[in-house]
Amino acid sequence: MQGRTGVDDHFMRRAIDLAARGLGTTSPNPVVGCVITSAGGSVVGEGFHAAAGGPHAEVWALREAGELARGGTAYVTLEPCDHHGRTGPCSEALLKAGVARVVVAVPDPNPVAAGGLERLRREGVAVESGLLRAEAERGNAHWLTYTRLRRPFVTWKFAATLDGRSAAADGTSQWITSPEARADVHRLRGQHDAIMAGIGTVLADDPHLTVRPGPATPLRVVVDSEGLTPPHARVLDDAAPTLLAVGADLPAEHAVRVPRGPRGLDLAALLTELHRRQIVSVFLEGGPTLAGSFLRAGLVDRVVAYLAPAFLGSGRAALGDAGVTGVGGIHRWEFEDVVPIGPDLRVTARPAPPKEN
């Protein structure tokens, strides 16, 4: 982009931080942050998109800025929308406010909402696009994956000892990690639209798959190809909605029927169904078998691993068969961050980009 400065970077990073405040509350809309500076370069307005159907980030920031936005600059993490939905076009709001310059991180991939930058250019506003795009895309990865690939973004979470064990030899797994790590898991659950587990985990651990504390109630999804979920399972209580995914050949009065693949349910088809239900992101907490199936199918977008400074030496591994028969087929990932959580470590990773030949 033209005219990039350190000041521009500073204000866009602030907009990215603001956007993150909407994680878990905006679906099926994106998270967006906006910073408005005056003609003199001072911050006069900030905002973020907090809920679907509510004001967009630009509207909140312009309300705060008032007349001080005239002749100023708007820093927005996603291209301002240019369509009439549940709210009016943000491009129109920026024009009415008299903003002279708009700096955007990510162009909108949704053809229904895109076009804001072109409209602003036609009206004489200085427009720059692509500032800190990679950072902004990471912050909005859930919605961008949902929009571009037409499936939910999948985060696989697991907790394990340093030797990679998620349960002891007798099957017990509570509690490998610390209370601090478990609290962090609930925070991440609340940032996703659905929490998913396999029937093996449901039968072995009877998990609740809810968010504590807080109002967030993500959809609970149980991958249960044979319809074995017990009627008394905690995942079927009224604390949150639940969707059972069963084989297409089974009756499904209170479940969704999914085609079978060669090794269980067709997970891509399941994600397509969740996309149809406007599920933007999935927090995968199933056991090693389900995790291996997702990884083998290339359907994991991010891994969050909680590692405890402990060893078991035997017991259940965190990951089952992921389709690797030799080192040549290894799933290569790259670290996004490593953060101490109480006595444990939270390691976040994402698929490494393919190497150029």
Side-chain angles (χ1 to χ4, degrees):
M1 63 175 287
Q2 300 297 317
R4 174 176 174 176
T5 68
V7 171
D8 287 336
D9 286 11
H10 170 77
F11 290 135
M12 185 60 78
R13 285 202 172 91
R14 174 58 180 167
I16 293 170
D17 289 343
L18 288 167
R21 297 183 183 181
L23 282 170
T25 62
T26 64
S27 290
N29 290 355
V31 295
V32 183
C34 178
V35 173
I36 305 287
T37 60
S38 67
S42 300
V43 175
V44 293
E46 294 185 339
F48 67 95
H49 184 44
H56 290 187
E58 298 94 320
V59 173
W60 285 120
L62 289 170
R63 285 180 184 177
E64 186 175 290
E67 282 299 312
L68 294 176
R70 192 163 299 278
T73 298
Y75 297 87
V76 194
T77 57
L78 184 68
E79 178 180 358
C81 65
D82 194 47
H83 76 119
H84 288 272
R86 285 182 282 186
T87 60
C90 289
S91 56
E92 183 176 292
L94 291 165
L95 288 170
K96 287 182 177 179
V99 170
R101 177 175 176 244
V102 175
V103 181
V104 168
V106 183
D108 195 329
N110 181 358
V112 174
L117 292 184
E118 184 55 36
R119 181 178 181 183
L120 290 166
R121 286 192 184 99
R122 289 198 308 267
E123 297 294 333
V125 176
V127 171
E128 297 163 24
S129 180
L131 178 65
L132 301 184
R133 178 168 179 165
E135 291 182 34
E137 289 205 350
R138 281 197 295 274
N140 211 7
H142 292 185
W143 182 82
L144 289 170
T145 298
Y146 173 82
T147 302
R148 291 168 175 167
L149 302 184
R150 302 195 63 76
R151 66 162 176 82
F153 182 96
V154 176
T155 298
W156 168 41
K157 164 262 167 185
F158 69 90
T161 57
L162 287 181
D163 55 341
R165 303 293 177 176
S166 62
D170 63 359
T172 57
S173 60
Q174 296 179 330
W175 297 101
I176 286 176
T177 53
S178 64
E180 294 91 339
R182 298 197 295 274
D184 197 59
V185 169
H186 281 280
R187 180 186 65 83
L188 290 181
R189 282 180 175 179
Q191 294 180 354
H192 291 73
D193 295 335
I195 304 169
M196 182 181 292
I199 184 59
T201 296
V202 169
L203 294 176
D205 301 331
D206 194 21
H208 205 199
L209 301 182
T210 55
V211 177
R212 299 187 305 271
T217 54
L219 175 70
R220 299 177 291 191
V221 180
V222 178
V223 181
D224 181 9
S225 60
E226 303 303 327
L228 300 177
T229 301
H232 55 77
R234 292 203 302 162
V235 77
L236 295 180
D237 67 16
D238 60 1
T242 300
L243 180 69
L244 301 180
V246 303
D249 53 321
L250 298 181
E253 181 179 353
H254 300 292
V256 59
R257 295 191 297 175
V258 180
R260 295 181 185 271
R263 303 173 66 106
L265 296 187
D266 183 333
L267 297 178
L270 173 57
L271 292 183
T272 296
E273 173 61 24
L274 293 177
H275 180 279
R276 189 186 69 81
R277 295 170 182 250
Q278 295 190 320
I279 298 298
V280 172
S281 57
V282 170
F283 198 59
L284 177 62
E285 293 201 66
T289 300
L290 186 61
S293 296
F294 265 90
L295 198 61
R296 186 169 58 246
L299 295 173
V300 178
D301 301 293
R302 180 177 291 149
V303 170
V304 179
Y306 293 87
L307 301 179
F311 298 89
L312 281 170
S314 63
R316 186 175 65 199
L319 181 66
D321 180 7
V324 178
T325 57
V327 173
I330 196 169
H331 297 277
R332 291 288 181 185
W333 287 56
E334 59 185 20
F335 292 125
E336 199 168 276
D337 63 33
V338 179
V339 179
I341 304 288
D344 307 316
L345 285 180
R346 185 189 69 210
V347 179
T348 305
R350 57 181 175 170
K355 292 184 178 180
E356 296 183 3
N357 295 326

